[in-house]
């Protein structure tokens, strides 16, 4: 099975490929591109490259998270996967998620007051305006080797992992 443009799979880049030759769908207010080759013969596997352009974080949050969670931002992301068979443990790959501009996590009131006292510009209620997360996929988890959350009042850098089953281990420092 071949879906989309094989050139993307060979180069790992979509910049020089005609978007019309790629598998596309509308997702979370943006465009999802999918290119894949699947060989179901024994000893063969799959190769996939997915890319989301101009997605809306608020659309994802509205669909997948608690309605009280207030997240906004434009999302660009990509994921390259290879594997064999249908077991999630066989999937290996890497990817990146960028949210910019973003409105992530409302500032606690104390930090908001301190921010207003030290700045002549009006305070924003969001802690982070930009986020970039780079990760590897291995052993049924996403290993985040870079998580940068950047805002006007603070910036956090972190690393850790999120398992396919939902277990989360993340460490951050300012």
């Amino acid at each position: 099975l071949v879906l989309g443009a094989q050139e993307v799979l060979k180069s790992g880049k979509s910049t020089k490929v005609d978007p019309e030759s790629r598998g596309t769908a509308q997702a979370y207010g943006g465009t999802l591109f999918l290119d894949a080759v699947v060989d179901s013969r024994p000893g063969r596997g799959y190769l996939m490259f997915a890319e989301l352009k101009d997605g809306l974080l608020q659309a994802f949050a509205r669909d997948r998270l608690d309605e009280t969670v207030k997240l906004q931002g434009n999302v660009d992301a990509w994921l390259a996967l290879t594997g064999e068979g249908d077991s999630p443990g066989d999937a290996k790959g890497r990817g990146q998620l960028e949210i910019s501009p973003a409105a992530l996590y409302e500032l606690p009131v104390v930090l908001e007051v301190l921010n207003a006292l030290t700045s002549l510009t009006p305070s924003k209620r969001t802690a982070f305006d930009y986020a970039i997360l780079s990760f590897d996929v291995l052993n049924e988890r996403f290993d985040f080797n870079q998580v940068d959350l950047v805002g006007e009042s603070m910036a956090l850098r972190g690393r850790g992992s999120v398992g396919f089953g939902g277990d989360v281990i993340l460490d951050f420092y300012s």
Side-chain angles (χ1 to χ4, degrees):
L1 170 69
V2 177
L3 177 65
Q6 289 187 36
E7 305 93 273
V8 173
L9 300 171
K10 292 175 187 170
S11 69
K13 297 179 184 172
S14 62
T15 53
K16 298 188 184 205
V17 176
D18 179 14
E20 303 260 333
S21 67
R22 303 181 72 194
T24 61
Q26 296 303 304
Y28 301 114
T31 303
L32 179 66
F33 296 93
L34 180 64
D35 306 285
V37 173
V38 179
D39 190 333
S40 62
R41 293 177 287 185
R44 304 292 178 115
Y46 59 88
L47 180 61
M48 181 203 82
F49 186 81
E51 188 174 20
L52 177 64
K53 291 191 177 189
D54 301 320
L56 299 174
L57 186 57
Q58 57 269 33
F60 174 82
R62 185 175 53 247
D63 189 41
R64 300 284 180 172
L65 304 174
D66 184 323
E67 63 186 43
T68 62
V69 175
K70 292 185 168 88
L71 299 173
Q72 293 184 348
N74 296 338
V75 178
D76 288 323
W78 61 268
L79 173 65
L81 281 179
T82 62
E84 186 178 314
D86 59 0
S87 170
D90 292 332
K92 294 176 181 67
R94 60 191 178 97
Q96 189 172 68
L97 172 72
E98 184 176 336
I99 307 167
S100 177
L104 306 172
Y105 183 75
E106 288 191 17
L107 280 173
V109 175
V110 173
L111 186 56
E112 193 173 330
V113 169
L114 289 173
N115 187 39
L117 291 173
T118 60
S119 173
L120 297 175
T121 59
S123 166
K124 295 187 295 184
R125 290 196 49 85
T126 56
F128 305 112
D129 306 313
Y130 172 83
I132 188 163
L133 300 88
S134 296
F135 58 89
D136 294 317
V137 179
L138 188 64
N139 299 324
E140 296 189 42
R141 71 175 186 252
F142 297 94
D143 286 326
F144 292 94
N145 46 48
Q146 174 192 354
V147 177
D148 288 334
L149 304 172
V150 180
E152 201 174 280
S153 302
M154 72 172 108
L156 296 176
R157 175 163 276 181
R159 61 182 318 143
S161 65
V162 175
F164 287 4
D167 51 318
V168 177
I169 302 170
L170 294 172
D171 292 319
F172 287 96
Y173 59 92
S174 60

